[in-house]
Amino acid sequence: MNSGQEVNILAIESSCDETAAAVVVNGRDVRSNIISSQIDIHTLYGGVVPEIASRKHMERINQVIAKALDTAQMTLDDLDAIAVTYGPGLVGALLVGVAEAKAIAYARKLPLIGVHHIEGHISANYIENKDLKPPFFCLVVSGGHTHLVKVLDYGVYEVIGKTRDDAAGEAFDKAARAIGLGYPGGPKIEKASYKGNEDAILFPRAKVSGSAYDFSFSGLKSAVLNYLNGCKMKNIPIVQEDVAASFQKAVIDVLVDHAMRAVEEYHIEKFAIAGGVASNTVLRQRMEFACKERGVRFYYPSPVLCTDNAAMIGTAAYYDYLAGKRDDWSLNAVPNLKLEGSAKKY
Ligand code: KG4
Ligand code: ZN
């Protein structure tokens, strides 16, 4: 066990298709952040195949952890706690990380800390922005989630808006498949968009009745499919880049609009973005501009900390560690774990 003042946390993340481990010191000092991506395998199937994801996590997790410790120049003896994502995500994938974390914690008599995946994404903002402290607002846009969140304190969240159907990243992935750009959709659409005209096609900006902050992206996906089918039936050539750019603008318009409405209603001074879609340069630029116009400080993580990684899990776990939160051996994978509920589990 580490006897100094530093808190060394080994964090594990395996909720989807990245097998990841990191060593994080005192929450914001990332000593290693190892990510073994399965994207090449899942690309063959056009999306993540859960059974394959679990098997690949099993094959890779020990090597990824060994590399994380090695890169941080530490051994298991130097650790103060083991952190792991326990939900939400693919149940078989989550179980690999949870079982591994429990085994290490049990064998080494170390505290075990289960972390909510979205809490991890939000916490990614703390790593490079050393001055960032709650309260602030965060727009979490990933493959599985679109949440507008009030970060009231470390580990304390209030979700004021979320998607009623597809997540923003899921919309990117589905639109990319329809356009013929392949998987994963987000980076492919972004790349194509730079060669396209974002005003070429007017796709809908969905509003959800009864909630100013909820999102809906399934209608947009249908609009893209209808547009493509219409072109095929009328023998109109499809300009992939124009469809990509116009689709991307429709998503970003809605995200920025909701975020700025919250800024104005709640008089927010600090706004952050997180999750895989937050690595989109056009979204970052639009958000930065909109925040600047309103005198709001804008925060965002580097792209590698936006997509799934274990450093963000280690950061979130550090604040749980300081608050004395610990899990026992009953920690289990919770595929549909809620963000607000996760703070009340202790
Ligand atoms: O956060 P993440 O790595 O995994 C989840 O927790 O879901 O997010 C993955 C999602 C995918 O849907 C991917 O298409 C999207 O993030 N994404 C992007 C970009 N890079 C990744 N979406 C838009 N633009 C990007 N550059
Ligand atoms: Zn994620």
Side-chain angles (χ1 to χ4, degrees):
M1 172 108 34
N2 163 40
S3 54
Q5 295 296 310
E6 292 185 333
V7 177
N8 301 335
I9 296 183
L10 170 68
I12 299 169
E13 155 64 43
S14 69
S15 65
C16 191
D17 60 346
E18 333 277 355
T19 317
V23 174
V24 181
V25 177
N26 291 341
R28 302 193 187 213
D29 178 4
V30 177
R31 297 286 171 91
S32 62
N33 190 20
I34 308 300
I35 304 165
S36 171
S37 175
Q38 305 175 6
I39 272 185
D40 290 354
I41 305 155
H42 298 290
T43 298
L44 303 174
Y45 303 93
V48 178
V49 183
E51 174 68 21
I52 295 176
S54 314
R55 284 168 187 266
K56 290 291 157 195
H57 286 314
M58 290 284 285
E59 281 171 30
R60 296 176 180 183
I61 197 154
N62 285 323
Q63 296 159 44
V64 168
I65 290 172
K67 194 160 174 203
L69 287 168
D70 206 38
T71 307
Q73 298 184 315
M74 288 192 199
T75 69
L76 292 173
D77 292 336
D78 298 309
L79 300 176
D80 295 289
I82 308 290
V84 64
T85 305
Y86 75 107
L90 302 170
V91 67
L94 287 164
L95 272 170
V96 176
V98 170
E100 179 84 13
K102 281 160 86 169
I104 299 173
Y106 184 77
R108 309 299 297 209
K109 298 188 174 50
L110 287 168
L112 174 69
I113 301 171
V115 174
H116 191 292
H117 183 74
I118 298 300
E119 180 170 15
H121 274 304
I122 295 169
S123 303
N125 280 285
Y126 298 133
I127 296 170
E128 294 154 311
N129 300 301
K130 310 288 182 205
D131 64 319
L132 179 62
K133 285 192 218 122
F136 61 94
F137 255 71
C138 188
L139 174 69
V140 187
V141 272
S142 72
H145 303 270
T146 306
H147 280 18
L148 195 50
V149 183
K150 262 192 206 178
V151 182
L152 300 164
D153 200 347
Y154 294 109
V156 186
Y157 307 95
E158 185 185 337
V159 178
I160 65 154
K162 58 182 168 204
T163 184
R164 296 281 178 97
D165 40 58
D166 293 349
E170 193 180 352
F172 269 94
D173 294 334
K174 287 178 176 171
R177 195 178 311 153
I179 301 167
L181 293 171
Y183 177 85
K188 299 248 163 90
I189 288 198
E190 180 178 349
K191 193 163 172 233
S193 76
Y194 294 121
K195 294 189 206 130
N197 172 7
E198 61 178 16
D199 298 314
I201 308 144
L202 185 62
F203 288 126
R205 273 72 170 153
K207 292 214 171 8
V208 176
S209 65
S211 171
Y213 297 114
D214 279 352
F215 303 89
S216 168
F217 292 110
S218 66
L220 175 58
K221 172 195 65 191
S222 305
V224 171
L225 286 170
N226 288 343
Y227 172 81
L228 295 169
N229 288 337
C231 288
K232 281 177 201 148
M233 278 163 62
K234 291 179 218 153
N235 265 330
I236 299 170
I238 294 166
V239 183
Q240 281 183 325
E241 292 80 4
D242 285 353
V243 187
S246 302
F247 162 83
Q248 180 174 276
K249 189 178 186 201
V251 175
I252 293 176
D253 276 355
V254 172
L255 295 175
V256 176
D257 175 77
H258 281 47
M260 291 309 116
R261 219 175 304 160
V263 160
E264 277 151 26
E265 186 179 332
Y266 293 93
H267 308 291
I268 296 160
E269 287 167 15
K270 294 179 275 182
F271 200 103
I273 54 170
V277 182
S279 62
N280 184 291
T281 308
V282 183
L283 173 64
R284 293 153 91 97
Q285 286 170 347
R286 289 271 312 273
M287 282 294 300
E288 184 149 37
F289 183 76
C291 283
K292 210 170 173 187
E293 265 189 332
R294 291 163 179 83
V296 173
R297 260 205 84 183
F298 177 57
Y299 297 86
Y300 52 91
S302 291
V304 71
L305 295 171
C306 286
T307 45
D308 288 350
N309 67 88
M312 66 185 195
I313 302 302
T315 299
Y318 172 71
Y319 293 99
D320 284 346
Y321 181 91
L322 292 185
K325 296 175 183 174
R326 307 286 186 264
D327 280 288
D328 60 24
W329 310 125
S330 67
L331 183 71
N332 204 349
V334 184
N336 56 358
L337 185 66
K338 299 279 174 291
L339 184 61
E340 286 155 312
S342 75
K344 296 183 195 113
K345 76 190 164 87
Y346 299 96

